[in-house]
Amino acid sequence: MIDVLDQDMTLGEVELPTRPTLRFHGSIPALTEQLRNLMQADTRTILAAPHMGDVERLATVLREYQIPYRLGSRNPHPGETVLDEGSYLSGDLRVPIIVRTPIAAGVSFLDANIVLFGVNDLSDEADVQARPERKRSKTAAFVSDFRDLAVGDYVVHVEHGIAQYQGLKEIVQDGLSLEFMILEFAEAARLYVPLTRLDLIQKYRSTDTGPAPVLNKLGSQQWTKTKARVKKAMQDMAGELLKLYAERKTAQGTAFSKDNEFQQEFEESFDFNETDDQLSAIRAIKYDMESTTPMDRLLCGDVGYGKTEVAMRAAFKAVQDGKQVAVLTPTTILCFQHFETFKKRFAQFPIKVEMISRFRTAKEQKAIVEQVETGKVDILIGTHRILSKDIKFQDLGLLVVDEEQRFGVRHKERLKQMRKEIDVLAMSATPIPRTLHMSLVGLRDMSVIETPPKDRMAIQTVVAKFDEKIIRSAVEVELERGGQVYFVHNRVESIYEIASRIQELVPAARVVVGHGQMPETELERVMLAFMHHEYDVLVATTIIENGLDIPLANTMLINRADRHGLSELYQLRGRVGRSNRRAYAYLLIPPETDLTEIARRRLAALKEFSDLGAGFKIAALDLELRGAGNMLGGEQSGHIEAVGFELYTSMLEAAVKEMKGESIDERPATALNLGIPLRIDETYVPEENQRLRLYKKIAGGATDQALAEVRAELEDRYGAPPDATVFLLEAARIRLECERLGIAQVDRKRGELQIRFMENAAVDPQQLMRLVARNAKRGAQFTPQGLLKYPLAALRPDEILLEIDELLAQLAPAPVSA
């Protein structure tokens, strides 16, 4: 049933009889047979494909099965042609039409004799669904959700300070069994926190190395003073920050044109489905580029999450407006890889991509410099050579900087000068604290790509004692599937000995050595040969940490992993798992008795953080915060140590909002004591960390929409929730309504509700008095202390929640009429 406007502009209804389409679950014969049947029945058929690559694949399939087809598009544009001229039967309406559109589920219009097959009808592997864009806080990507919380970990209670997590305990109160989190503070003082209040608890994150944090004393003023000191330090930064912020906003740059049909064609030629985070980053970058303020955006994302594709779309947009693009990389190898990627991606378009690095001879470099100056090169990719004085761009519009933190001070100063006039996009898998600070305070914009590509699998991480059997087995298994292996050994003096040992263990393997003390040309030759699969095993020092992107290399062995920092281990491990194959990382260590406490903690963290994208959280927080200073040179790391990273960032965001004159939503949370079961049972969600994660999401839910999403996730993963979980979600929704009305506490005692209001409660006093008067005979009263006592007729939990809901609706102020 749909609403339509008829000729006299009145709203009417039209009924369209429809039914769902068949689903083929990836079976090509079943699809082609159905298409033939529909053609014979004179039915018009439309096939949806989300991307140009999918359109071409579908067209190829139909050609192979000798089914004629036509190509259609909601937005026809140059380059979208019929893939097989012989199959284009313009007068035959029965011919299936392939349309590039991301429609998920198909529909059959019975009266119109039209069948539309959606993307998910054709294949179970398709990933198309309607997903509304959600606005996230800048700090969302860095917030712990307890999936990695273990007994003994340090946590921060927002109101009481730093404590140690000691596990969960079930306690029976007034006949109700409740779960509590046990926190141990200084002097072995324990606090039992109901799991319904996990919004008050954060995992303590600060540094990878160094002493453990000092526990706060429960009930003392120590924590309040610490928070006040940190807040004052942030406010002291405000004046300088405002000045920088104003400078940035008043600067004038190039406002690039809106997307044209060529930009659309370039984006549609991407062979994969973009992730939500990629699309969000692309939108933000285009918005920046189309404004007159010079873009200064940081693009964060785990290794292999599609940052380069986002950068290439920005580069294409700049070139479309006649501007040049510079891509700056920290290493020659990475420069070469970017050059190959850009060249391949831009091959179908009249765009000249060049590279300037040691891979070019002096003569070639001179020619490239001249072409750049005359505007004949559109995109120049290079190492810090790009920053040299002799390279003069005719009209530079965009600078893309990869792994900015790896450039020296001199290069960064040069970049700072360039930033004032042109758009800059910096990319990083491990942002340094200075960069993170600048993004959080709004001096730089930040986009985060947290979603892995569709087929990407987590890296299987194994911590094992050094054993030749493990080495032989790992190498042989990888070679059997046609892959390659990295063996990291960070001692140049014994690296050749290790390489010959591997050669003895696996005679069939082609082994090569690479290290930083080799002549540069020799090292580059080794790296390129390994990239081109001329060798199976690369025995190398940590020089491979950055820049190698080899989809076939999916096994890594790291010798003496205990000697590496966590950041370094994470970066090394990121060299594998860059395709849809399962990747393995073996952290080889001496017997555990020889390990230091810090090394043991590091390896445990890396093994724990094998989730996709979780490595980015480690890199951003636990690793890179060592000795963190802010962008103004003030020492902030001490403040991060004092309150933990999560609380620090939320306080920083609040301070920045205050500084800009924006309103800060600081509603105190409502305490609900309803005497009804509010819990997620072990029988429903057996895994403890998952339960903690869900409790935290429910307790921290700031909108009805957020709570609805948690419920949808529960139903999707675990089935229909039991009553106690439904009550928990409903109580969380009631808590939100109480906070909106300014209610401090709701207690259920002996058949009545006791509601305590805050001083600035948003309740109409006259409405409140009328409510009390109407129910006075039943015992309703409002005390001088601001306590509403209201008789409660309900006894069952669901009835109690419903009655509270109705009561709150009566207390809510009437909407103001226009």
Side-chain angles (χ1 to χ4, degrees):
M1 191 84 75
I2 59 169
D3 295 326
V4 293
L5 284 171
D6 59 21
Q7 286 178 327
D8 62 357
M9 298 302 284
T10 56
L11 202 62
E13 288 183 340
V14 173
E15 193 166 301
L16 288 173
T18 64
R19 71 169 175 228
T21 48
L22 285 172
R23 298 198 72 167
F24 301 104
H25 306 289
S27 170
I28 302 298
L31 167 66
T32 51
E33 185 184 342
Q34 180 65 8
L35 289 176
R36 285 197 176 97
N37 292 341
L38 290 168
M39 285 168 68
Q40 283 173 1
D42 288 339
T43 302
R44 298 177 71 175
T45 312
I46 301 163
L47 300 162
H51 297 274
M52 205 55 206
D54 298 310
V55 170
E56 291 174 3
R57 279 188 283 276
L58 201 46
T60 304
V61 165
L62 297 189
R63 264 206 306 269
E64 283 176 6
Y65 280 81
Q66 297 181 337
I67 292 177
Y69 64 88
R70 288 191 296 154
L71 288 188
S73 171
R74 290 181 305 168
N75 306 304
H77 55 274
E80 187 165 289
T81 56
V82 178
L83 299 176
D84 180 353
E85 295 296 337
S87 68
Y88 186 92
L89 308 177
S90 55
D92 192 345
L93 295 176
R94 298 172 306 158
V95 172
I97 302 172
I98 303 171
V99 178
R100 185 191 50 75
T101 180
I103 294 174
V107 63
S108 180
F109 297 98
L110 302 179
D111 289 353
N113 212 19
I114 295 173
V115 177
L116 165 64
F117 288 110
V119 179
N120 295 339
D121 296 338
L122 306 181
S123 169
D124 295 335
E125 296 297 309
D127 182 29
V128 174
Q129 50 185 300
R131 287 172 286 209
E133 190 183 354
R134 295 196 345 251
K135 279 198 85 171
R136 288 185 301 187
S137 155
K138 285 177 182 173
T139 54
F142 309 105
V143 172
S144 161
D145 59 8
F146 288 164
R147 74 178 71 201
D148 56 314
L149 188 67
V151 171
D153 284 352
Y154 292 96
V155 295
V156 177
H157 190 297
V158 173
E159 291 170 4
H160 299 294
I162 298 171
Q164 207 167 15
Y165 170 60
Q166 298 295 348
L168 302 179
K169 186 177 173 99
E170 203 152 315
I171 299 174
V172 177
Q173 279 185 346
D174 301 327
L176 282 176
S177 178
L178 302 171
E179 268 191 301
F180 290 83
M181 178 182 275
I182 309 168
L183 302 184
E184 188 165 288
F185 289 83
E187 300 172 2
R190 288 195 161 195
L191 181 70
Y192 291 81
V193 182
L195 295 192
T196 51
R197 291 312 315 273
L198 285 195
D199 52 316
L200 298 173
I201 313 298
Q202 302 165 349
K203 187 167 179 186
Y204 177 86
R205 295 183 183 280
S206 177
T207 55
D208 168 36
T209 57
V214 177
L215 301 182
N216 285 106
K217 194 173 176 181
L218 202 55
S220 74
Q221 288 298 303
Q222 178 192 6
W223 179 245
T224 311
K225 287 176 183 172
T226 300
K227 284 205 294 185
R229 188 183 80 236
V230 173
K231 190 171 181 182
K232 185 176 184 309
M234 287 174 176
Q235 286 166 343
D236 291 344
M237 291 163 58
E240 190 64 27
L241 287 174
L242 259 180
K243 185 175 153 216
L244 288 169
Y245 190 76
E247 271 178 19
R248 184 181 166 212
K249 288 297 169 194
T250 52
Q252 286 293 309
T254 304
F256 288 94
S257 313
K258 298 273 183 194
D259 285 3
N260 59 19
E261 56 192 19
F262 295 109
Q263 181 83 29
Q264 188 183 344
E265 187 183 341
F266 177 75
E267 295 186 3
E268 281 161 11
S269 63
F270 184 48
D271 283 338
F272 307 96
N273 290 356
E274 301 94 339
T275 63
D276 286 354
D277 288 347
Q278 269 183 312
L279 291 171
S280 176
I282 290 161
R283 270 194 297 272
I285 288 165
K286 285 179 180 176
Y287 178 82
D288 288 353
M289 291 178 75
E290 287 164 13
S291 81
T292 52
T293 307
M295 173 171 75
D296 191 2
R297 182 168 287 274
L298 169 67
L299 179 61
C300 293
D302 222 329
V303 281
Y305 272 35
K307 298 189 293 289
T308 309
E309 172 62 22
V310 174
M312 288 193 287
R313 293 188 184 190
F316 192 92
K317 189 176 184 69
V319 172
Q320 284 295 293
D321 270 16
K323 295 283 184 180
Q324 288 170 296
V325 177
V327 181
L328 182 61
T329 67
T331 65
T332 312
I333 294 288
L334 188 56
C335 171
F336 179 74
Q337 290 208 318
H338 274 323
F339 176 59
E340 294 281 294
T341 307
F342 271 70
K343 222 166 52 168
K344 186 177 171 189
R345 187 77 175 85
F346 287 88
Q348 303 301 314
F349 299 88
I351 290 173
K352 171 118 169 138
V353 181
E354 260 304 349
M355 171 183 76
I356 191 158
S357 74
R358 290 196 312 268
F359 281 13
R360 296 281 192 230
T361 63
K363 188 180 174 185
E364 286 172 332
Q365 287 194 33
K366 191 181 175 205
I368 291 166
V369 169
E370 284 170 9
Q371 288 175 349
V372 168
E373 200 167 342
T374 54
K376 289 176 184 168
V377 170
D378 298 303
I379 300 173
L380 181 65
I381 300 166
T383 53
H384 53 79
R385 172 82 175 82
I386 279 185
L387 303 175
S388 307
K389 292 263 173 34
D390 66 319
I391 294 186
K392 296 181 180 69
F393 288 88
Q394 187 186 55
D395 192 2
L396 183 63
L398 174 68
L399 172 66
V400 178
V401 187
D402 199 5
E403 298 297 345
E404 183 185 24
Q405 74 276 7
R406 301 197 62 222
F407 291 94
V409 176
R410 193 165 50 85
H411 297 137
K412 282 181 180 165
E413 283 305 312
R414 177 92 172 92
L415 287 173
K416 206 182 281 182
Q417 292 164 8
M418 295 173 84
R419 269 201 168 89
K420 290 175 184 170
E421 312 129 20
I422 60 167
D423 285 7
V424 177
L425 175 64
M427 302 191 292
S428 178
T430 56
I432 53 175
R434 182 185 178 90
T435 311
L436 204 51
H437 271 278
M438 292 183 84
S439 301
L440 290 170
V441 298
L443 289 172
R444 290 180 81 175
D445 295 306
M446 176 165 70
S447 293
V448 179
I449 301 181
E450 284 184 281
T451 333
K454 186 161 165 274
D455 294 330
R456 188 63 51 87
M457 288 188 272
I459 300 167
Q460 194 79 36
T461 306
V462 180
V463 179
K465 292 174 189 170
F466 186 92
D467 184 341
E468 291 188 348
K469 290 194 197 98
I470 289 176
I471 296 169
R472 179 193 290 124
S473 168
V475 174
E476 284 179 347
V477 166
E478 188 57 62
L479 263 55
E480 274 169 23
R481 60 176 185 172
Q484 292 171 283
V485 178
Y486 294 110
F487 190 102
V488 179
H489 180 81
N490 216 23
R491 290 281 185 275
V492 174
E493 58 273 18
S494 53
I495 197 166
Y496 289 98
E497 191 184 319
I498 283 282
S500 61
R501 191 78 200 96
I502 293 168
Q503 188 71 76
E504 283 172 30
L505 289 170
V506 190
R510 296 169 297 171
V511 182
V512 70
V513 172
H515 60 80
Q517 291 177 22
M518 295 167 80
E520 281 178 1
T521 50
E522 177 63 14
L523 177 60
E524 281 160 14
R525 188 197 63 74
V526 165
M527 294 295 193
L528 288 173
F530 187 67
M531 276 168 64
H532 295 138
H533 204 174
E534 291 170 26
Y535 294 99
D536 303 310
V537 181
L538 173 61
V539 181
T541 55
T542 51
I543 51 160
I544 64 161
E545 184 183 340
N546 280 82
L548 282 182
D549 183 2
I550 303 172
L552 280 177
N554 282 300
T555 293
M556 173 175 282
L557 298 106
I558 303 174
N559 195 20
R560 286 308 300 259
D562 55 303
R563 288 179 175 167
H564 296 271
L566 190 47
S567 174
E568 194 172 46
L569 284 171
Y570 162 65
Q571 280 281 14
L572 284 168
R573 190 181 66 175
R575 295 303 106 209
V576 294
R578 301 174 75 90
S579 68
N580 57 1
R581 288 183 177 189
R582 169 70 77 188
Y584 298 90
Y586 295 85
L587 310 180
L588 304 177
I589 56 171
E592 270 189 49
T593 47
D594 296 349
L595 289 185
T596 64
E597 180 55 34
I598 287 171
R600 199 174 282 118
R601 269 174 54 206
R602 243 184 238 143
L603 296 171
L606 196 73
K607 191 164 187 288
E608 219 168 286
F609 279 95
S610 287
D611 300 7
L612 287 167
F616 173 46
K617 292 184 183 181
I618 311 179
L621 313 182
D622 291 298
L623 323 177
E624 296 294 345
L625 288 173
R626 287 177 287 195
N630 71 18
M631 67 282 166
L632 302 170
E635 192 51 58
Q636 290 289 315
S637 62
H639 302 312
I640 296 173
E641 295 287 333
V643 296
F645 184 80
E646 217 166 299
L647 183 58
Y648 178 83
T649 50
S650 59
M651 287 174 77
L652 182 59
E653 275 197 309
V656 170
K657 278 187 175 178
E658 206 174 320
M659 172 186 92
K660 293 183 190 170
E662 295 174 15
S663 61
I664 304 167
D665 190 12
E666 278 190 10
R667 287 181 314 216
T670 303
L672 293 181
N673 301 304
L674 305 179
I676 61 175
L678 306 172
R679 60 180 295 157
I680 302 171
D681 285 313
E682 283 182 57
T683 50
Y684 181 52
V685 180
E687 213 270 304
E688 187 175 285
N689 284 64
Q690 280 298 334
R691 270 189 299 124
L692 286 176
R693 187 179 75 83
L694 291 162
Y695 270 120
K696 186 167 171 70
K697 278 179 99 169
I698 293 168
T703 61
D704 293 347
Q705 174 64 27
L707 294 173
E709 285 174 10
V710 178
R711 178 161 187 164
E713 181 189 341
L714 279 166
E715 288 175 349
D716 183 48
R717 294 181 68 172
Y718 303 103
D723 289 347
T725 308
V726 173
F727 301 154
L728 174 67
L729 288 159
E730 191 56 25
R733 194 186 58 74
I734 286 171
R735 171 181 57 78
L736 288 180
E737 187 54 35
C738 287
E739 287 170 7
R740 282 191 278 265
L741 292 173
I743 294 170
Q745 194 164 335
V746 180
D747 294 313
R748 175 176 158 247
K749 290 182 180 175
R750 295 180 296 280
E752 72 174 14
L753 277 182
Q754 295 185 1
I755 298 176
R756 192 175 299 282
F757 295 93
M758 296 171 197
E759 282 183 21
N760 58 345
V763 173
D764 185 338
Q766 289 182 336
Q767 229 166 308
L768 176 59
M769 289 304 108
R770 282 197 293 270
L771 175 74
V772 171
R774 277 198 309 271
N775 295 278
K777 287 183 181 176
R778 293 174 54 210
Q781 57 174 299
F782 186 68
T783 70
Q785 291 78 31
L787 186 70
L788 170 65
K789 293 185 175 181
Y790 186 83
L792 199 60
L795 292 171
R796 287 194 353 229
D798 55 335
E799 291 172 344
I800 291 167
L801 291 166
L802 184 61
E803 198 164 338
I804 295 171
D805 214 13
E806 289 169 355
L807 175 62
L808 294 176
Q810 292 177 63
L811 290 172
V816 181
S817 55

